[in-house]
Amino acid sequence: IPNEDESIWVIQNGEIYNYPQLRIDLEKRGHRFRTHTDTECLVHLYEEYGDEFVTRLRGMFAIAIWDQKANRLLMARDRFGQKPIYYTQQNETLYFSSELSSLMAVLPERPSIDLAAIDLYLGLQYIPEPQTPYQGIYKLPAAHTLVFEQGKVELQRYWQLEYQPKLYATEDELIEQLRQRLREAVVMRMISDVPLGAHLSGGIDSSVIVALM
């Protein structure tokens, strides 16, 4: 989806849960929308806040923004890495995709298997990012942005989970805060153009979510 003059384009895999609030603010700032999608908010957020737009997002996402005037590509992945982005450089060209299979289908040269990554998989049952099963193909780490400009790739972390104590309250107050946060989280995820459902395992976490729904 482009901005008004089609100088900036965005593609997204995922969902932005707070896009209704973002859209209201952007319209007040003069941005014009063609659709009612969460994806269109991203291109206008980038116009307004630059690379820092990603810090305003609540959701799960893999995003790519092409800034035609600056000849610059920006990619971003959500804080916990729910949506993947794979990328590689060949012949001074950057290739990226949300799936390894589609990325492999367009590469001029097929990369070799990364035996060290396979060894990690056999030992850990997963391959730690940014490595993948192929040499030279990487997964953008969670909570990171990637800028591709003048043939160079630059990664930057935009968020870090902090484990220091943040709340000082009684048990009853903490219980109520937890209830409020759970309600808010469920309400935000109830926005959908299609019917909603839940995988109910019978455990405490899924039972609480279904009860709030």
Side-chain angles (χ1 to χ4, degrees), residues 75-132:
M75 296 195 294
R77 191 171 175 212
D78 62 76
R79 288 168 174 80
F80 289 100
Q82 289 179 266
K83 296 295 183 178
I85 301 179
Y86 299 96
Y87 69 94
T88 189
Q89 263 187 283
Q90 288 190 7
N91 303 323
E92 300 182 355
T93 300
L94 182 75
Y95 298 85
F96 67 93
S97 177
S98 59
E99 293 187 6
L100 275 172
S101 56
S102 57
L103 185 61
M104 296 292 286
V106 300
L107 290 180
E109 301 174 14
R110 187 176 180 86
S112 302
I113 297 293
D114 187 340
L115 295 179
I118 301 301
D119 183 61
L120 285 170
Y121 176 77
L122 295 173
L124 303 174
Q125 296 300 299
Y126 77 101
I127 299 175
E129 55 191 34
Q131 289 179 269
T132 71

Side-chain angles (χ1 to χ4, degrees), residues 3 20 47-48 56 60 69 81 97 107 111 135 139 153 175:
N3 63 343
E47 287 183 294
E48 196 69 35
R56 298 173 179 268
M60 53 175 183
K69 292 179 180 178
S97 177
L107 290 180
Q135 294 180 19
K139 181 185 283 189
V153 170
I175 289 171

